[in-house]
């Protein structure tokens, strides 16, 4: 069985350009997770952070009696921000924590899910959780040889605590509609919560 991570990294580079920094984090009892930083295209002002390692094994339903080492969804996480003076490079460890959650907590990370860190995404950030968005826009799915499932690249949308609480009641689609209606810049590292009343 071919190692999927070199293929995943090649797909990320093809979509986002060359990374200019990477950090590796290993949690007790888990495989190593790396986070790559992509500076974005000149004049774009957007920095992207992508995990590498989450897709090494398929995510398994925590209620399953045995983890299937081959079949099951695979994913990596992608966060896009406009730094604007915020220390967003400190997001590397929190992103690695989120990427390790399938191994640590038996989560299956899928679009519409909330992932809560319980602490700011980076120092001073107004966000402590993220909404997992639909894949396929920024980085196309990576199709692997059968019987392996494809690797999805899941965008993460930072949420304020108020937005996360509102999403729990009304759902992901309703929150995304609020953001769209209000023209919310989801890449602004200092944005305030969207109006929710």
């Amino acid at each position: 069985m071919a190692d999927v991570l070199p293929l995943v990294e090649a797909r990320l580079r093809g979509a986002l350009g060359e990374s200019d920094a990477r950090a590796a984090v290993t949690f007790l009892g888990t495989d190593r997770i790396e986070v790559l930083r992509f500076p974005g295209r000149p004049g774009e002002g957007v920095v992207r952070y992508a995990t590498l390692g989450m897709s090494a094994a398929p995510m398994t339903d925590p209620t399953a009696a045995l983890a299937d080492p081959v079949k099951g969804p695979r994913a990596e996480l992608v966060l896009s921000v406009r730094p604007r003076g915020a220390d967003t490079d400190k997001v590397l460890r929190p992103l690695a924590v989120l990427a390790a959650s399938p191994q640590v907590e038996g989560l299956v990370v899928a679009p519409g899910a909330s992932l809560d860190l319980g602490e700011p995404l980076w120092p001073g950030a107004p966000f402590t959780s993220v909404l997992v968005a639909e894949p396929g826009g920024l980085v196309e799915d990576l199709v692997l040889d059968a019987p392996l499932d494809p690797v999805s690249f899941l965008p993460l949308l930072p949420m304020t605590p108020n937005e996360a609480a509102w999403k729990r009641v009304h759902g992901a689609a309703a929150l995304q509609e609020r953001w769209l209606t209000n023209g919310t810049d989801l890449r602004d590292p200092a944005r305030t919560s969207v109006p929710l009343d």
Side-chain angles (χ1 to χ4, degrees), residues 79 98 113-117 121 128-132 156-159:
L79 175 70
L98 296 178
S114 300
L115 301 176
D116 196 340
L117 280 163
L121 280 175
T128 56
S129 61
V130 293
L131 175 65
V132 181
L156 300 181
L157 308 176
M159 293 188 292

Side-chain angles (χ1 to χ4, degrees), residues 6 26-27 31 46 50 87 166 168 170 190:
T26 305
F27 303 99
D31 296 327
V46 174
D87 194 3
W166 196 86
R168 281 193 291 275
H170 300 280

Side-chain angles (χ1 to χ4, degrees), residues 52-164:
L52 180 64
M54 183 176 166
S55 62
M59 294 181 277
T60 306
D61 184 335
T63 61
L66 286 173
D68 189 324
V70 176
K71 292 291 288 174
R74 294 173 188 258
E76 297 290 354
L77 308 175
V78 181
L79 175 70
S80 301
V81 291
R82 290 186 176 89
R84 291 185 181 160
D87 194 3
T88 57
D89 283 348
K90 294 278 180 28
V91 78
L92 300 177
R93 183 171 174 79
L95 273 184
V97 169
L98 296 178
S101 60
Q103 291 182 61
V104 175
E105 301 172 37
L107 290 178
V108 175
V109 178
S114 300
L115 301 176
D116 196 340
L117 280 163
E119 61 184 43
L121 280 175
W122 56 81
F127 319 107
T128 56
S129 61
V130 293
L131 175 65
V132 181
E134 292 289 337
L138 190 60
V139 185
E140 288 184 18
D141 288 1
L142 172 63
V143 177
L144 302 173
D145 292 338
L148 302 182
D149 287 19
V151 176
S152 295
F153 298 88
L154 301 171
L156 300 181
L157 308 176
M159 293 188 292
T160 66
N162 284 347
E163 289 170 340

